[in-house]
Amino acid sequence: ALVCALFVPGAQKLHAADERPNVIIIYADDLGWGDLGCYGNPSIRTPNLDAMASHGMRFTDFYSAAEVCTPSRAALLTGRYPIRSGMCHDKFRVLRNNSLGGLPKDEQTLPALLKTKGYATGCIGKWHLGHRPEHLPPNHGFDFYFGMPFSNDMMPAPDAPKGRAKIFEENNDYWRTPLIRGIEVVEEKPDQRQLTRRYTEESIAFIKAHQERPFFLYLAHTFPHVPLFASANFRGKSRGGIYGDVVEEIDWSVGRILEELRERGLEKKTLVIFSSDNGPWTLFDNHGGSAGPLREGKGSTWEGGMRVPGIFQWSGTIPEGVVQQRMASTMDVFTTVVKLAGAELPNDRPIDGADISLILFGKAECPAHEPFFYYRGAQLFAARLGEWKAHFITQGGYGT
Protein backbone atom coordinates (compact mmCIF):
# COMPACT_ATOMS: atom_id res chain seq x y z
CA ALA A 1 0.00 0.00 0.00
CA LEU A 2 1.04 3.60 -0.49
CA VAL A 3 1.85 5.17 2.86
CA CYS A 4 2.75 8.62 4.13
CA ALA A 5 5.85 9.48 6.12
CA LEU A 6 5.09 10.33 9.73
CA PHE A 7 6.13 13.62 11.29
CA VAL A 8 8.86 13.23 13.89
CA PRO A 9 8.10 15.67 16.76
CA GLY A 10 10.91 18.11 17.40
CA ALA A 11 13.05 16.86 14.54
CA GLN A 12 11.99 19.30 11.81
CA LYS A 13 10.15 22.59 11.70
CA LEU A 14 7.29 23.33 9.38
CA HIS A 15 7.83 25.84 6.60
CA ALA A 16 6.87 29.37 7.58
CA ALA A 17 4.83 31.38 5.10
CA ASP A 18 7.36 34.23 5.02
CA GLU A 19 10.35 31.97 4.32
CA ARG A 20 10.99 31.77 0.61
CA PRO A 21 13.47 28.97 -0.06
CA ASN A 22 16.07 28.93 -2.75
CA VAL A 23 15.24 26.10 -5.13
CA ILE A 24 17.63 23.92 -7.14
CA ILE A 25 16.29 21.27 -9.51
CA ILE A 26 18.94 18.88 -10.80
CA TYR A 27 17.58 16.93 -13.75
CA ALA A 28 19.38 14.00 -15.36
CA ASP A 29 18.72 12.85 -18.93
CA ASP A 30 17.73 9.18 -19.43
CA LEU A 31 18.79 8.14 -15.91
CA GLY A 32 16.96 4.99 -14.83
CA TRP A 33 15.15 4.24 -11.56
CA GLY A 34 17.81 1.65 -10.76
CA ASP A 35 20.95 3.63 -11.61
CA LEU A 36 21.77 5.03 -8.14
CA GLY A 37 23.15 3.31 -5.07
CA CYS A 38 20.22 4.44 -2.94
CA TYR A 39 17.88 2.78 -5.47
CA GLY A 40 19.81 -0.50 -5.31
CA ASN A 41 22.45 -0.26 -8.05
CA PRO A 42 25.28 -2.66 -7.13
CA SER A 43 28.08 -1.24 -9.30
CA ILE A 44 27.65 2.52 -9.82
CA ARG A 45 28.93 4.57 -6.87
CA THR A 46 26.73 7.55 -5.99
CA PRO A 47 27.78 8.58 -2.46
CA ASN A 48 26.56 12.17 -2.76
CA LEU A 49 23.10 11.29 -4.01
CA ASP A 50 22.93 8.50 -1.43
CA ALA A 51 23.79 11.06 1.27
CA MET A 52 21.21 13.45 -0.15
CA ALA A 53 18.60 10.71 0.23
CA SER A 54 19.73 9.89 3.77
CA HIS A 55 19.51 13.57 4.75
CA GLY A 56 16.19 14.06 3.01
CA MET A 57 13.35 12.14 1.40
CA ARG A 58 13.59 9.51 -1.33
CA PHE A 59 10.45 8.65 -3.29
CA THR A 60 9.94 5.10 -4.51
CA ASP A 61 7.00 6.02 -6.78
CA PHE A 62 8.06 9.29 -8.40
CA TYR A 63 7.07 9.91 -12.01
CA SER A 64 8.03 11.96 -15.01
CA ALA A 65 4.96 13.10 -16.93
CA ALA A 66 6.32 11.66 -20.19
CA GLU A 67 8.55 8.86 -21.46
CA VAL A 68 10.84 11.06 -23.59
CA CYS A 69 12.70 14.36 -23.29
CA THR A 70 10.70 17.28 -24.69
CA PRO A 71 7.28 16.59 -23.14
CA SER A 72 8.75 15.65 -19.77
CA ARG A 73 10.61 18.97 -19.54
CA ALA A 74 7.52 20.92 -20.55
CA ALA A 75 5.56 19.22 -17.78
CA LEU A 76 8.20 19.98 -15.13
CA LEU A 77 8.30 23.68 -16.00
CA THR A 78 4.54 24.20 -16.46
CA GLY A 79 2.94 21.76 -14.00
CA ARG A 80 0.77 20.46 -16.84
CA TYR A 81 0.52 17.30 -18.85
CA PRO A 82 2.41 18.04 -22.09
CA ILE A 83 -0.68 17.38 -24.18
CA ARG A 84 -2.05 20.68 -22.79
CA SER A 85 0.93 22.70 -24.06
CA GLY A 86 1.24 20.85 -27.36
CA MET A 87 4.69 19.57 -26.41
CA CYS A 88 3.99 16.04 -27.59
CA HIS A 89 3.66 14.34 -30.95
CA ASP A 90 2.57 10.81 -31.80
CA LYS A 91 5.24 10.35 -34.50
CA PHE A 92 8.46 12.00 -33.26
CA ARG A 93 7.49 12.85 -29.67
CA VAL A 94 10.51 15.19 -29.23
CA LEU A 95 11.67 18.39 -30.89
CA ARG A 96 14.50 17.96 -33.38
CA ASN A 97 17.37 20.22 -34.36
CA ASN A 98 15.32 21.30 -37.41
CA SER A 99 12.04 21.82 -35.55
CA LEU A 100 10.47 25.24 -35.97
CA GLY A 101 8.31 25.16 -32.85
CA GLY A 102 8.90 25.22 -29.13
CA LEU A 103 7.22 25.79 -25.79
CA PRO A 104 4.35 28.21 -26.49
CA LYS A 105 4.92 31.80 -25.44
CA ASP A 106 1.71 31.90 -23.39
CA GLU A 107 2.70 28.99 -21.12
CA GLN A 108 3.27 30.15 -17.54
CA THR A 109 6.60 28.63 -16.51
CA LEU A 110 8.00 28.03 -13.04
CA PRO A 111 10.83 30.59 -13.38
CA ALA A 112 8.44 33.25 -14.69
CA LEU A 113 6.16 32.79 -11.69
CA LEU A 114 9.09 32.85 -9.25
CA LYS A 115 10.34 36.09 -10.77
CA THR A 116 7.10 37.74 -9.58
CA LYS A 117 8.38 37.10 -6.03
CA GLY A 118 11.84 38.50 -6.64
CA TYR A 119 13.70 35.31 -7.51
CA ALA A 120 16.82 35.26 -9.66
CA THR A 121 16.39 32.46 -12.20
CA GLY A 122 19.02 30.44 -14.03
CA CYS A 123 18.94 27.54 -16.47
CA ILE A 124 22.09 25.51 -17.09
CA GLY A 125 22.32 22.47 -19.34
CA LYS A 126 19.98 20.81 -21.80
CA TRP A 127 16.84 22.77 -22.74
CA HIS A 128 15.04 20.82 -25.51
CA LEU A 129 11.94 23.01 -25.62
CA GLY A 130 12.78 24.80 -28.86
CA HIS A 131 16.13 26.05 -30.17
CA ARG A 132 15.03 29.19 -32.05
CA PRO A 133 15.75 32.42 -30.10
CA GLU A 134 12.09 33.03 -29.23
CA HIS A 135 11.87 29.58 -27.62
CA LEU A 136 15.07 29.63 -25.55
CA PRO A 137 15.13 29.97 -21.74
CA PRO A 138 15.58 33.79 -21.62
CA ASN A 139 12.17 34.06 -23.29
CA HIS A 140 10.54 31.70 -20.79
CA GLY A 141 11.37 33.33 -17.47
CA PHE A 142 15.08 32.64 -17.03
CA ASP A 143 17.49 35.51 -16.37
CA PHE A 144 20.47 33.36 -17.32
CA TYR A 145 21.08 30.44 -19.66
CA PHE A 146 24.12 28.36 -20.53
CA GLY A 147 23.80 24.98 -22.19
CA MET A 148 22.74 22.87 -25.15
CA PRO A 149 19.46 23.59 -26.95
CA PHE A 150 18.63 19.92 -27.55
CA SER A 151 20.04 16.41 -27.16
CA ASN A 152 23.77 15.90 -27.64
CA ASP A 153 23.22 13.37 -30.46
CA MET A 154 21.04 15.54 -32.68
CA MET A 155 23.77 17.15 -34.79
CA PRO A 156 26.23 14.48 -35.92
CA ALA A 157 29.20 15.64 -37.97
CA PRO A 158 29.01 15.07 -41.74
CA ASP A 159 31.81 12.50 -41.58
CA ALA A 160 30.43 10.59 -38.58
CA PRO A 161 29.75 6.87 -39.10
CA LYS A 162 26.15 5.96 -39.76
CA GLY A 163 23.85 4.25 -37.28
CA ARG A 164 24.79 3.04 -33.82
CA ALA A 165 28.54 2.90 -34.53
CA LYS A 166 29.02 6.62 -33.90
CA ILE A 167 27.33 6.26 -30.48
CA PHE A 168 29.57 3.48 -29.24
CA GLU A 169 32.89 4.86 -30.47
CA GLU A 170 32.82 7.72 -27.94
CA ASN A 171 34.49 10.12 -30.36
CA ASN A 172 33.74 13.77 -29.58
CA ASP A 173 34.62 14.77 -33.17
CA TYR A 174 31.41 13.11 -34.37
CA TRP A 175 29.12 15.65 -32.67
CA ARG A 176 28.16 19.28 -33.32
CA THR A 177 25.39 20.15 -30.83
CA PRO A 178 26.33 23.74 -29.86
CA LEU A 179 26.63 25.53 -26.54
CA ILE A 180 24.50 28.65 -26.08
CA ARG A 181 24.86 31.51 -23.62
CA GLY A 182 21.72 33.60 -23.42
CA ILE A 183 20.41 33.23 -26.96
CA GLU A 184 23.77 33.27 -28.76
CA VAL A 185 25.83 30.27 -29.86
CA VAL A 186 29.22 30.53 -28.14
CA GLU A 187 30.70 27.15 -29.17
CA GLU A 188 29.74 25.21 -32.26
CA LYS A 189 31.70 22.09 -31.37
CA PRO A 190 32.08 21.84 -27.59
CA ASP A 191 34.12 19.14 -25.91
CA GLN A 192 31.37 16.98 -24.42
CA ARG A 193 33.89 15.35 -22.07
CA GLN A 194 33.92 18.63 -20.14
CA LEU A 195 30.17 19.33 -20.07
CA THR A 196 29.34 18.03 -16.59
CA ARG A 197 32.29 19.91 -15.08
CA ARG A 198 31.42 23.12 -16.92
CA TYR A 199 27.74 22.93 -15.96
CA THR A 200 28.83 22.48 -12.35
CA GLU A 201 31.15 25.48 -12.45
CA GLU A 202 28.42 27.64 -14.02
CA SER A 203 25.97 26.50 -11.34
CA ILE A 204 28.34 27.38 -8.52
CA ALA A 205 28.98 30.79 -10.09
CA PHE A 206 25.21 31.38 -10.26
CA ILE A 207 24.80 30.47 -6.58
CA LYS A 208 27.65 32.79 -5.58
CA ALA A 209 26.22 35.67 -7.61
CA HIS A 210 22.72 35.40 -6.12
CA GLN A 211 23.30 34.17 -2.57
CA GLU A 212 21.89 37.38 -1.06
CA ARG A 213 18.42 36.93 -2.63
CA PRO A 214 16.09 34.01 -3.37
CA PHE A 215 17.18 32.09 -6.44
CA PHE A 216 15.93 29.28 -8.64
CA LEU A 217 18.49 27.14 -10.46
CA TYR A 218 17.44 24.54 -13.02
CA LEU A 219 20.46 22.34 -13.78
CA ALA A 220 19.51 19.94 -16.57
CA HIS A 221 22.44 17.64 -17.27
CA THR A 222 23.14 16.51 -20.82
CA PHE A 223 23.94 13.00 -19.58
CA PRO A 224 23.58 10.04 -19.28
CA HIS A 225 21.92 10.48 -22.69
CA VAL A 226 24.06 8.88 -25.40
CA PRO A 227 26.68 9.51 -26.71
CA LEU A 228 28.40 9.17 -23.36
CA PHE A 229 31.39 11.27 -22.34
CA ALA A 230 33.17 11.69 -19.01
CA SER A 231 36.12 13.83 -18.00
CA ALA A 232 39.57 12.35 -17.38
CA ASN A 233 38.96 12.25 -13.61
CA PHE A 234 36.08 9.80 -14.11
CA ARG A 235 36.73 8.01 -17.40
CA GLY A 236 37.38 4.31 -16.82
CA LYS A 237 36.88 4.52 -13.05
CA SER A 238 33.45 2.94 -12.55
CA ARG A 239 32.60 -0.74 -12.29
CA GLY A 240 29.55 0.24 -14.33
CA GLY A 241 31.55 0.96 -17.49
CA ILE A 242 31.32 4.26 -19.39
CA TYR A 243 27.69 4.64 -18.30
CA GLY A 244 28.80 4.33 -14.68
CA ASP A 245 31.61 6.84 -15.28
CA VAL A 246 29.07 9.39 -16.50
CA VAL A 247 26.64 8.82 -13.62
CA GLU A 248 29.43 9.00 -11.06
CA GLU A 249 30.51 12.36 -12.49
CA ILE A 250 26.93 13.63 -12.17
CA ASP A 251 27.00 12.42 -8.55
CA TRP A 252 30.24 14.38 -8.03
CA SER A 253 28.47 17.44 -9.46
CA VAL A 254 25.63 17.05 -6.97
CA GLY A 255 28.18 16.82 -4.17
CA ARG A 256 29.95 20.01 -5.25
CA ILE A 257 26.69 21.95 -5.34
CA LEU A 258 25.61 20.69 -1.91
CA GLU A 259 29.08 21.53 -0.56
CA GLU A 260 28.78 25.06 -1.94
CA LEU A 261 25.44 25.52 -0.19
CA ARG A 262 26.94 24.35 3.11
CA GLU A 263 29.99 26.61 2.81
CA ARG A 264 27.76 29.65 2.16
CA GLY A 265 25.31 28.90 4.94
CA LEU A 266 22.52 28.23 2.44
CA GLU A 267 21.83 24.58 3.24
CA LYS A 268 18.85 25.35 5.48
CA LYS A 269 17.53 27.93 3.04
CA THR A 270 17.56 25.75 -0.06
CA LEU A 271 15.28 23.02 -1.36
CA VAL A 272 17.27 20.69 -3.63
CA ILE A 273 15.46 18.24 -5.89
CA PHE A 274 17.03 15.50 -8.00
CA SER A 275 15.22 13.54 -10.70
CA SER A 276 15.33 12.37 -14.33
CA ASP A 277 13.32 13.21 -17.43
CA ASN A 278 12.42 9.58 -18.20
CA GLY A 279 13.67 6.04 -17.82
CA PRO A 280 16.87 4.48 -19.22
CA TRP A 281 17.53 4.13 -22.93
CA THR A 282 17.84 0.35 -22.82
CA LEU A 283 18.18 0.20 -26.62
CA PHE A 284 21.87 1.03 -26.14
CA ASP A 285 22.82 -1.97 -24.01
CA ASN A 286 25.71 -1.11 -21.65
CA HIS A 287 25.55 2.53 -22.82
CA GLY A 288 22.04 2.69 -21.38
CA GLY A 289 20.96 2.49 -17.77
CA SER A 290 18.78 0.28 -15.61
CA ALA A 291 15.20 0.54 -14.41
CA GLY A 292 16.00 -1.96 -11.66
CA PRO A 293 13.03 -4.31 -11.15
CA LEU A 294 10.73 -2.17 -13.30
CA ARG A 295 9.63 -3.17 -16.78
CA GLU A 296 11.01 -1.52 -19.94
CA GLY A 297 12.60 1.94 -20.24
CA LYS A 298 12.62 5.18 -22.20
CA GLY A 299 9.80 5.51 -24.70
CA SER A 300 7.51 3.15 -22.81
CA THR A 301 4.56 3.75 -20.50
CA TRP A 302 5.47 0.67 -18.53
CA GLU A 303 6.88 1.64 -15.14
CA GLY A 304 10.51 1.61 -16.27
CA GLY A 305 9.79 4.32 -18.82
CA MET A 306 8.26 6.90 -16.50
CA ARG A 307 9.01 6.02 -12.88
CA VAL A 308 12.26 7.81 -12.07
CA PRO A 309 14.43 8.74 -9.07
CA GLY A 310 12.96 11.47 -6.89
CA ILE A 311 15.12 12.84 -4.03
CA PHE A 312 14.28 15.96 -1.99
CA GLN A 313 16.55 17.64 0.56
CA TRP A 314 15.92 20.78 2.61
CA SER A 315 17.97 20.64 5.79
CA GLY A 316 15.95 21.41 8.91
CA THR A 317 12.62 21.28 7.08
CA ILE A 318 12.30 17.93 5.29
CA PRO A 319 12.66 14.98 7.70
CA GLU A 320 15.84 12.98 7.24
CA GLY A 321 16.13 9.44 5.96
CA VAL A 322 12.52 9.00 4.86
CA VAL A 323 11.72 6.48 2.13
CA GLN A 324 8.44 7.84 0.85
CA GLN A 325 6.06 5.43 -0.89
CA ARG A 326 3.46 8.04 -1.69
CA MET A 327 3.01 8.62 -5.43
CA ALA A 328 4.21 12.00 -6.77
CA SER A 329 5.37 13.50 -10.07
CA THR A 330 7.51 16.25 -11.56
CA MET A 331 4.31 18.24 -12.17
CA ASP A 332 3.88 18.33 -8.39
CA VAL A 333 7.29 20.01 -8.16
CA PHE A 334 5.90 22.96 -10.12
CA THR A 335 2.88 23.48 -7.88
CA THR A 336 4.77 22.88 -4.63
CA VAL A 337 7.59 25.29 -5.44
CA VAL A 338 5.18 28.01 -6.57
CA LYS A 339 3.33 27.69 -3.26
CA LEU A 340 6.51 27.66 -1.16
CA ALA A 341 7.70 30.81 -2.90
CA GLY A 342 4.43 32.59 -2.12
CA ALA A 343 3.61 33.03 -5.80
CA GLU A 344 0.18 32.57 -7.38
CA LEU A 345 -0.73 29.62 -9.57
CA PRO A 346 -2.23 30.53 -12.94
CA ASN A 347 -6.03 30.62 -12.67
CA ASP A 348 -6.77 30.74 -16.38
CA ARG A 349 -5.73 27.16 -17.22
CA PRO A 350 -5.72 23.67 -15.70
CA ILE A 351 -2.72 22.87 -13.51
CA ASP A 352 -2.18 19.13 -13.06
CA GLY A 353 0.47 19.16 -10.35
CA ALA A 354 -0.48 18.88 -6.68
CA ASP A 355 1.05 20.69 -3.70
CA ILE A 356 3.01 17.93 -1.94
CA SER A 357 4.55 20.15 0.73
CA LEU A 358 2.69 18.31 3.51
CA ILE A 359 4.27 15.07 2.34
CA LEU A 360 7.71 16.68 2.19
CA PHE A 361 7.35 18.16 5.67
CA GLY A 362 6.49 14.76 7.13
CA LYS A 363 2.87 15.46 7.98
CA ALA A 364 0.68 12.41 8.50
CA GLU A 365 -2.35 14.09 6.90
CA CYS A 366 -1.36 13.60 3.26
CA PRO A 367 -3.72 14.91 0.59
CA ALA A 368 -5.30 12.41 -1.77
CA HIS A 369 -3.46 12.21 -5.06
CA GLU A 370 -5.45 12.44 -8.25
CA PRO A 371 -5.04 9.64 -10.83
CA PHE A 372 -1.77 9.74 -12.74
CA PHE A 373 -2.04 9.45 -16.52
CA TYR A 374 0.60 7.86 -18.74
CA TYR A 375 0.72 9.54 -22.15
CA ARG A 376 2.86 8.47 -25.07
CA GLY A 377 2.79 11.38 -27.46
CA ALA A 378 -0.81 12.59 -27.53
CA GLN A 379 -2.29 9.18 -26.75
CA LEU A 380 -3.35 7.98 -23.32
CA PHE A 381 -1.78 4.57 -22.75
CA ALA A 382 -2.37 3.92 -19.05
CA ALA A 383 -3.61 5.37 -15.75
CA ARG A 384 -2.80 4.74 -12.10
CA LEU A 385 -4.94 5.34 -9.02
CA GLY A 386 -3.49 4.22 -5.70
CA GLU A 387 -2.08 0.71 -6.05
CA TRP A 388 -3.87 0.03 -9.31
CA LYS A 389 -2.74 0.69 -12.87
CA ALA A 390 -4.84 0.15 -15.98
CA HIS A 391 -3.10 -0.33 -19.35
CA PHE A 392 -5.25 0.68 -22.31
CA ILE A 393 -2.47 0.27 -24.89
CA THR A 394 0.78 -1.65 -24.39
CA GLN A 395 4.03 -1.30 -26.29
CA GLY A 396 7.78 -1.69 -26.02
CA GLY A 397 10.41 0.96 -25.48
CA TYR A 398 11.89 3.71 -27.58
CA GLY A 399 11.60 3.25 -31.31
CA THR A 400 8.71 0.74 -31.18
Side-chain angles (χ1 to χ4, degrees):
L2 298 178
V3 297
C4 295
L6 295 177
F7 178 62
V8 182
Q12 265 76 27
K13 64 181 179 63
L14 291 181
H15 172 72
D18 60 346
E19 294 179 356
R20 293 178 295 162
N22 306 314
V23 179
I24 300 176
I25 298 175
I26 305 174
Y27 212 42
D29 191 349
D30 293 357
L31 182 79
W33 189 93
D35 282 334
L36 307 180
C38 55
Y39 281 88
N41 193 285
S43 57
I44 300 176
R45 297 165 296 185
T46 55
N48 295 298
L49 283 161
D50 298 348
M52 184 177 165
S54 69
H55 293 301
M57 185 174 293
R58 176 175 69 84
F59 281 75
T60 62
D61 292 48
F62 193 75
Y63 289 90
S64 171
E67 26 67 68
V68 288
C69 299
T70 294
S72 66
R73 292 158 197 275
L76 172 69
L77 293 178
T78 66
R80 290 150 53 84
Y81 285 106
I83 193 171
R84 298 194 190 277
S85 63
M87 290 289 94
C88 55
H89 192 286
D90 287 335
K91 184 178 181 182
F92 297 113
R93 306 206 301 284
V94 298
L95 293 172
R96 306 281 172 168
N97 65 307
N98 59 356
S99 297
L100 299 180
L103 187 66
K105 184 178 181 180
D106 63 355
E107 283 296 322
Q108 293 291 305
T109 64
L110 181 55
L113 294 173
L114 296 185
K115 281 173 67 71
T116 67
K117 303 304 293 185
Y119 276 71
T121 58
C123 176
I124 295 169
K126 176 181 170 180
W127 176 239
H128 213 170
L129 289 171
H131 68 278
R132 294 164 68 90
E134 63 267 28
H135 298 307
L136 289 172
N139 288 308
H140 282 292
F142 285 104
D143 300 321
F144 173 83
Y145 175 55
F146 175 80
M148 288 185 162
F150 37 72
S151 298
N152 63 330
D153 67 334
M154 284 191 167
M155 288 187 67
D159 59 345
K162 303 299 181 184
R164 291 158 63 93
K166 62 180 178 292
I167 296 291
F168 290 114
E169 284 195 33
E170 301 162 28
N171 187 333
N172 187 71
D173 291 335
Y174 293 160
W175 309 104
R176 297 290 188 273
T177 300
L179 273 174
I180 292 175
R181 190 177 292 276
I183 61 171
E184 303 292 335
V185 172
V186 291
E187 292 182 38
E188 294 184 350
K189 183 191 166 186
D191 184 350
Q192 293 198 24
R193 294 167 294 189
Q194 306 304 321
L195 283 182
T196 299
R197 176 188 60 79
R198 294 181 68 181
Y199 289 169
T200 306
E201 292 171 352
E202 294 280 351
S203 296
I204 289 173
F206 180 85
I207 292 169
K208 290 178 179 178
H210 302 289
Q211 61 183 311
E212 300 299 329
R213 59 182 288 198
F215 64 79
F216 169 56
L217 172 62
Y218 173 44
L219 169 55
H221 281 288
T222 290
F223 302 119
H225 190 289
V226 295
L228 299 174
F229 294 98
S231 68
N233 288 338
F234 293 90
R235 184 71 175 86
K237 303 296 176 61
S238 173
R239 291 171 57 198
I242 179 60
Y243 187 90
D245 296 339
V246 168
V247 173
E248 290 183 10
E249 187 161 19
I250 290 173
D251 179 78
W252 163 83
S253 173
V254 171
R256 283 289 296 114
I257 289 169
L258 294 176
E259 180 183 16
E260 190 70 23
L261 294 176
R262 287 191 295 270
E263 290 179 353
R264 298 189 175 278
L266 298 174
E267 189 178 23
K268 293 186 176 181
K269 300 177 181 180
T270 307
L271 168 62
V272 184
I273 303 166
F274 181 89
S275 191
S276 177
D277 63 346
N278 48 248
W281 206 345
T282 55
L283 178 68
F284 286 98
D285 304 320
N286 62 345
H287 279 226
S290 168
L294 307 178
R295 182 173 179 176
E296 272 288 357
K298 177 178 180 176
S300 168
T301 55
W302 294 106
E303 289 298 284
M306 294 175 64
R307 197 193 300 190
V308 291
I311 305 173
F312 293 69
Q313 179 181 317
W314 183 0
S315 297
T317 299
I318 293 178
E320 293 191 1
V322 175
V323 178
Q324 178 59 260
Q325 293 177 293
R326 186 76 180 181
M327 182 170 57
S329 80
T330 55
M331 294 181 293
D332 300 335
V333 169
F334 172 91
T335 302
T336 303
V337 169
V338 169
K339 293 284 190 178
L340 291 175
E344 296 293 330
L345 289 171
N347 58 14
D348 61 345
R349 67 199 65 200
I351 298 296
D352 299 301
D355 180 0
I356 60 170
S357 57
L358 288 180
I359 297 175
L360 295 177
F361 298 159
K363 295 287 286 183
E365 306 84 14
C366 296
H369 200 289
E370 295 295 324
F372 180 76
F373 298 104
Y374 301 70
Y375 283 92
R376 190 175 193 245
Q379 288 186 284
L380 179 64
F381 273 56
R384 177 178 171 179
L385 179 62
E387 296 177 320
W388 302 97
K389 182 179 180 182
H391 287 271
F392 312 121
I393 307 173
T394 59
Q395 90 297 331
Y398 199 86
T400 62

